[in-house]
Amino acid sequence: MDEQAMITRDLALRLCANATEFDQGWIEADAKIVVAFTAPRDTALIHRVVAAGRALGVGRLLVGRTRAEFAYEPVTEVAADTASVVHVIRSWGDEPTDVLVAVEDFSAAVLVTSTTLTVAAGPPDFLRPLVGPDLESARTAFAEEARDSRDPELLRAAQAYNCLEPGARHARNPRGPGPDLAERLAVRARSLREGSPGAAAALRALRGGWAWAMLAVLLVAPFFVPATAAAVPAMAGMLWLLAQLAWLSRSRTLAFSTLVRVLLLGALLVWPLAAAEDALTAYAGVDRWVAYTYVAVWVEEAGKLLPLLLLVRLPARRRFRRLAAVDYLLLAAASGAGFQAAETLLRALPAGGATTLPFPGLAALLPGAVAVPELGVHFSGHGVLTGLVGAALGLAVVGRRVWGAWLWLLPPAAFALAVLQHMMFNAAVAEAALGSPLEPHPATAALYGFTGGGTADRWLLLLLLVCAVLLDYRTARCAADVTPPLPGHPPLPGLRRRAYGRAIRLGVRVPGDIAPVFRRAALLWAHAPLRMALTLSDLLHEAAVTLAAARRGPAVLGTAWRFLRERRAYAMGAARAGERPWRRFPAREDLRSTGHRLGTAFFGSAGAVAGACALVAVCSAVGASGPAGAVEVHAAASAGRVPFAAYAAEALHHAADWYGALPPSALPWVWTWGAALLTLPAAGWSVPRAYPDAEAFLREPSRMAGRVLGAVAPGQVPYAAAGLAGLLLPRVAERPLHRP
C-alpha cells in the first residue's frame, strides 16, 4: 500500500461497481476469473479467504468496507491470518456490513456482502481455497442455486458474472453457432461407434488391413521399379519432422492424424503450384534463372499456406476458431513438409531413387535441410520455413488481445524471411547450374547473411514454438471457470506460490504515473517468471495424468490423450470467444464425464485397468544423416538441369519424363505404388479407441485378428507401444498426481 494511507473510497473505486458488485473493467483488465457462491458469515469463511491470500504468496491483506457511509475510513492492512482479519471486522461493530478483502496489487479480491452472497475474483490459485479445485462446478452450482431460489440478488449476480445467460428461461440450454462439416462428421462417427459397434469394428479392421497392405506395396515396389525406393525415406523424414514438432507443441489441440492428412494435402499441392509456375513464367516471358529465383519462390511460399487458410477453414470453420497458437505452426509445417516430400520424391525418381535419399537419423533435429557448401547456401526445408510463417500467424491471431495489434507485423516478417531464404538458395543453385551472369542484389545478400544464411531458421522456429506454448497456456487459464479440471492436484504449489508473491511484491512497487512503455517493461519483468512457473505446473500436471493413465494400459492412455487434447480445445474456444457465442464442441458434459472416469481409474481402485494387444513389429534399418539433419549436396550440374533447386515445376517435368520412359510392365506397379502413397497417410494415424481384450485374444485368436488390425495400423503402432511400455512404470510415477 502507498505510504499515504488509502481510504475506502479509493479501494472501492478501483475494484467495485457498487457496494456488492465488482467492476467489469477491473475484472477484464487481467482476464480475472470470477466465482460467486453462498456461505454463512463465520470464522470458517474468513479462514478460507486467508488461505486464498496465502496461496498467492502474500503476507498482508487489505481490508475495508464498501458502503458509501464508510467512504472516508482508512483501509486496514493486516497480516494474512484469520485472527487479524476477524479482529478488524469485529472492531466495526455488530451491524452486518459489506467487506472487501484484496491483495496489495489488486490482482485478486473477495467481496463478502452482508447477506450470504460472496464473490471472489482473481487467478485460479486464489479461487481454489475458496470454492474447491473445480471452478466450473462451483459456478454451475451457484447458477442452479440462484435459479432454484429465485433470489433477485443471487440471480443478478449469476447473470452479471456470466454464470447464467440473460433470460432465465433460456439459461439451461445456451444457444450458440451451429456445427460445421467436420463436427457433423465427428458426430456421425460417434453414432456409428455407439449404435453399430460391429460395423465400426469391421471398418477399423478393413482400414488396418489396407494400411498394412499399402505399406507392403511401398516396400516391395522397389524390387520391380527401383526408383520408387525414394518414397519411404522421403516420407519418413517429413513424418519424423512432424512428429518432433507435434511432441514439442504441448498445447496443441489438433490430433496427429489431422496433421498427417494436411501433410498429404501439401504433397498434392505440387501439381497445381507447378502449373501456376509454368503459366506465370510463360505469361511474363522471363528466362529460367528468373523463373527459378522469383516466380517459383513467391508461388510456392504463398501456395503452401492454402491448406491453412482455405482447405482447413472451409470444412471446419468452427474448429478453426478454437485453434491454439501452436496449431497454426503445426498446420503450416505439415503443409510445407508434404510439399517438400513430394518435390523431393519427384526430383529423385529420374535420379534412380534411394541412392540419393538417406533415411533421417533419429537424432536429427527437424530434418529436411539441404546444404550446398560450395555455394555457401543453406535451405532449411519447406516444413521449417512454412512453419515459421504459421507460428507468426498463430501468435498474431491468439496473442493480439494480450500483447496488442503490433503482433500482426510478425506474419509479414516471417513470410519475407521464408521468401528470402528460398530465393537465395534457388538463385545460387540456378546460377551454378545455368551459368547465368545474374545474381541477387547486394542488399538482399547482406540481409541473407544477417538472418543467419538459413542456419538459424530451425532455432527461430523452436523459439516461436516456445512462445506459442506459453501464450496458449496463458490463454487457456483465462477459461478455467468453464473448463472441467484435470484429475489430481496441480504440481509445484510452492513454486507457484513464490512466483505469485514475487510478482505481487514487484508489481505493487511500479508507479502508475510513469511512461507506459517503462511501466509495461517493469510489469513484464515482474510477471514473466510467474507465467513460466504456471506453464511449467500445467505441463507437469498433464504429464502426471499421462503417466498415471499409461500405468493402466493402452486403452486408458488413449482416453487420457484424447481428453487432454479436447480439454485444451474447449478452453481455447472459450478463451478466444470471450463474451461472444461460440460452438461448444465437444460438449462440456462429455469432457466432465471422461475426466470423472479417469479420476475413478486413478483414485477409485487400487488395481490397474490394463489392456494388452498383439503387435506386429516392423524393423527397418535407419541410417543417420548427420546431427543437424541436413543433406549436403554438390553444385555440379550438367545439361542445363537444376536438380537441387526448390522448384516444383522442374521436378514435376523430370518426373513426367521418367514416367513416360517406363516399360509397360512397370506401370501397374507404379500405379499401385501411387495409390499407396495417396491412401496410407489418409487413415490409420489416430489414437485407437478400442484394443482387443487379452483373455479373449488368448481364447479365440482368430476372432481377435480383426480387432488387432483395427487398433494397430502402421501409424498406430507407436500408440500401442507407448501403452504397453507404460505398464512397466512403477507406482512412484503417479506420486505427482496424488501429492497436494
Side-chain angles (χ1 to χ4, degrees), residues 294-589:
Y294 294 104
V295 176
V297 169
W298 286 94
V299 170
E300 292 178 10
E301 292 302 327
K304 288 181 297 183
L305 297 175
L306 287 177
L308 175 61
L309 300 179
L310 296 177
L311 298 178
V312 174
R313 185 170 185 175
L314 291 179
R317 63 187 187 280
R318 306 298 183 197
R319 183 67 180 84
F320 192 81
R321 297 178 181 178
R322 299 194 297 269
L323 293 182
V326 294
D327 293 334
Y328 291 87
L329 183 156
L330 292 173
L331 288 173
S335 177
F339 186 88
Q340 179 167 349
E343 191 181 58
T344 304
L345 177 59
L346 293 175
R347 190 184 303 117
L349 289 176
T355 57
T356 61
L357 294 179
F359 266 95
L362 294 178
L365 178 62
L366 304 183
V370 180
V372 186
E374 292 85 353
L375 302 178
V377 291
H378 182 280
F379 183 63
S380 301
H382 288 293
V384 172
L385 292 181
T386 313
L388 282 172
V389 182
L393 184 62
L395 289 173
V397 171
V398 180
R400 68 185 187 277
R401 296 181 181 177
V402 179
W403 293 326
W406 69 268
L407 283 178
W408 283 110
L409 297 175
L410 291 180
F415 185 80
L417 176 63
V419 168
L420 175 66
Q421 306 290 2
H422 194 170
M423 181 177 63
M424 290 299 296
F425 179 81
N426 274 16
V429 177
E431 181 182 356
L434 301 176
S436 175
L438 300 175
E439 59 182 22
H441 193 276
T444 304
L447 183 61
Y448 178 72
F450 177 76
T451 56
T455 58
D457 293 342
R458 57 177 179 169
W459 302 111
L460 179 59
L461 177 63
L462 293 178
L463 175 62
L464 293 181
L465 188 150
V466 172
C467 294
V469 170
L470 291 172
L471 174 62
D472 288 339
Y473 276 105
R474 176 181 179 178
T475 305
R477 281 193 294 271
C478 298
D481 55 337
V482 296
T483 307
L486 291 174
H489 299 279
L492 304 179
L495 177 63
R496 296 198 313 273
R497 185 166 53 250
R498 289 191 295 271
Y500 271 117
R502 177 188 178 276
I504 293 173
R505 288 192 302 272
L506 295 182
V508 77
R509 298 175 185 173
V510 179
D513 56 351
I514 61 176
V517 61
F518 296 117
R519 177 172 173 80
R520 284 195 294 267
L523 292 178
L524 178 63
W525 170 257
H527 292 98
L530 172 62
R531 308 299 182 197
M532 296 181 182
L534 294 178
T535 301
L536 179 60
S537 177
D538 294 338
L539 285 170
L540 292 179
H541 197 176
E542 292 188 354
V545 172
T546 303
L547 290 177
R551 288 196 67 248
R552 287 154 176 81
V556 180
L557 179 59
T559 301
W561 277 336
R562 284 190 298 272
F563 170 73
L564 294 176
R565 177 173 53 79
E566 292 174 353
R567 179 181 176 273
R568 288 194 294 263
Y570 190 94
M572 289 301 300
R576 290 186 57 184
E579 301 298 328
R580 303 187 307 272
W582 64 287
R583 178 66 181 170
R584 294 167 173 82
F585 187 86
R588 184 169 57 188
E589 292 75 14

Side-chain angles (χ1 to χ4, degrees), residues 279-304:
L280 289 176
T281 301
Y283 177 79
V286 296
D287 59 14
R288 297 177 65 188
W289 187 89
V290 176
Y292 297 149
T293 305
Y294 294 104
V295 176
V297 169
W298 286 94
V299 170
E300 292 178 10
E301 292 302 327
K304 288 181 297 183

Side-chain angles (χ1 to χ4, degrees), residues 11-28 32-37 66 99-103 106-113 117-122 126-127 130 157 160-161:
L11 182 61
L13 289 177
R14 289 174 182 263
L15 276 63
C16 299
N18 52 55
T20 60
E21 185 176 332
F22 280 126
D23 181 67
Q24 289 296 329
W26 173 73
I27 292 173
E28 296 171 0
K32 300 178 182 67
I33 298 173
V34 183
V35 178
F37 59 98
T66 59
V99 181
L100 178 64
V101 181
V103 298
F106 311 124
S107 60
V110 179
L111 185 56
V112 182
T113 67
L117 174 65
T118 306
V119 185
F126 179 79
L127 301 175
L130 291 166
Y161 302 121

Side-chain angles (χ1 to χ4, degrees), residues 53-407:
R54 288 179 177 174
L56 298 188
V58 296
R60 313 289 293 179
L61 294 173
L62 305 181
V63 183
R65 290 184 280 187
T66 59
R67 295 184 181 181
E69 56 265 30
F70 309 116
Y72 293 96
E73 287 187 357
V75 174
T76 306
E77 184 178 15
V78 300
D81 61 74
T82 305
S84 300
V85 178
V86 170
H87 175 73
V88 171
I89 295 176
R90 286 178 177 174
S91 67
W92 294 336
D94 297 333
E95 182 180 356
T97 185
D98 305 310
V99 181
L100 178 64
V101 181
V103 298
E104 291 179 299
D105 67 341
F106 311 124
S107 60
V110 179
L111 185 56
V112 182
T113 67
S114 57
T115 62
T116 59
L117 174 65
T118 306
V119 185
D125 282 23
F126 179 79
L127 301 175
R128 290 189 186 106
L130 291 166
V131 297
D134 194 345
L135 306 183
E136 188 265 339
S137 289
R139 287 171 53 88
T140 303
F142 177 75
E144 293 292 337
E145 181 181 359
R147 185 187 297 113
D148 295 339
S149 66
R150 299 184 181 272
D151 188 314
E153 184 180 13
L154 299 185
L155 285 173
R156 184 170 58 252
Q159 294 181 358
Y161 302 121
N162 296 321
C163 300
L164 283 177
E165 289 193 353
R169 288 185 301 173
H170 306 288
R172 292 182 183 272
N173 298 306
R175 295 181 179 180
D180 54 27
L181 177 60
E183 292 177 357
R184 291 191 183 98
L185 293 177
V187 171
R188 288 182 179 274
R190 178 177 178 177
S191 300
L192 177 64
R193 290 193 301 267
E194 296 178 352
S196 303
L203 290 176
R204 285 195 295 264
L206 179 62
R207 178 200 62 193
W210 177 266
W212 282 111
M214 292 299 99
L215 180 60
V217 168
L218 292 181
L219 298 177
V220 173
F223 291 101
F224 300 92
V225 185
T228 59
V232 175
M235 292 298 295
M238 295 302 97
L239 284 173
W240 180 231
L241 178 144
L242 199 58
Q244 291 182 20
L245 291 176
W247 187 84
L248 293 173
S249 301
R250 305 313 305 163
S251 60
R252 66 181 172 95
T253 67
L254 293 172
F256 187 73
S257 58
T258 302
L259 301 179
V260 178
R261 295 187 185 103
V262 174
L263 184 143
L264 177 60
L265 291 177
L268 295 176
L269 281 175
V270 168
W271 278 267
L273 294 185
E277 291 170 3
D278 285 339
L280 289 176
T281 301
Y283 177 79
V286 296
D287 59 14
R288 297 177 65 188
W289 187 89
V290 176
Y292 297 149
T293 305
Y294 294 104
V295 176
V297 169
W298 286 94
V299 170
E300 292 178 10
E301 292 302 327
K304 288 181 297 183
L305 297 175
L306 287 177
L308 175 61
L309 300 179
L310 296 177
L311 298 178
V312 174
R313 185 170 185 175
L314 291 179
R317 63 187 187 280
R318 306 298 183 197
R319 183 67 180 84
F320 192 81
R321 297 178 181 178
R322 299 194 297 269
L323 293 182
V326 294
D327 293 334
Y328 291 87
L329 183 156
L330 292 173
L331 288 173
S335 177
F339 186 88
Q340 179 167 349
E343 191 181 58
T344 304
L345 177 59
L346 293 175
R347 190 184 303 117
L349 289 176
T355 57
T356 61
L357 294 179
F359 266 95
L362 294 178
L365 178 62
L366 304 183
V370 180
V372 186
E374 292 85 353
L375 302 178
V377 291
H378 182 280
F379 183 63
S380 301
H382 288 293
V384 172
L385 292 181
T386 313
L388 282 172
V389 182
L393 184 62
L395 289 173
V397 171
V398 180
R400 68 185 187 277
R401 296 181 181 177
V402 179
W403 293 326
W406 69 268
L407 283 178

Side-chain angles (χ1 to χ4, degrees), residues 666-688:
L667 293 181
W669 282 104
V670 174
W671 297 337
T672 309
W673 172 78
L677 287 177
L678 290 177
T679 58
L680 189 57
W685 297 87
S686 58
V687 178

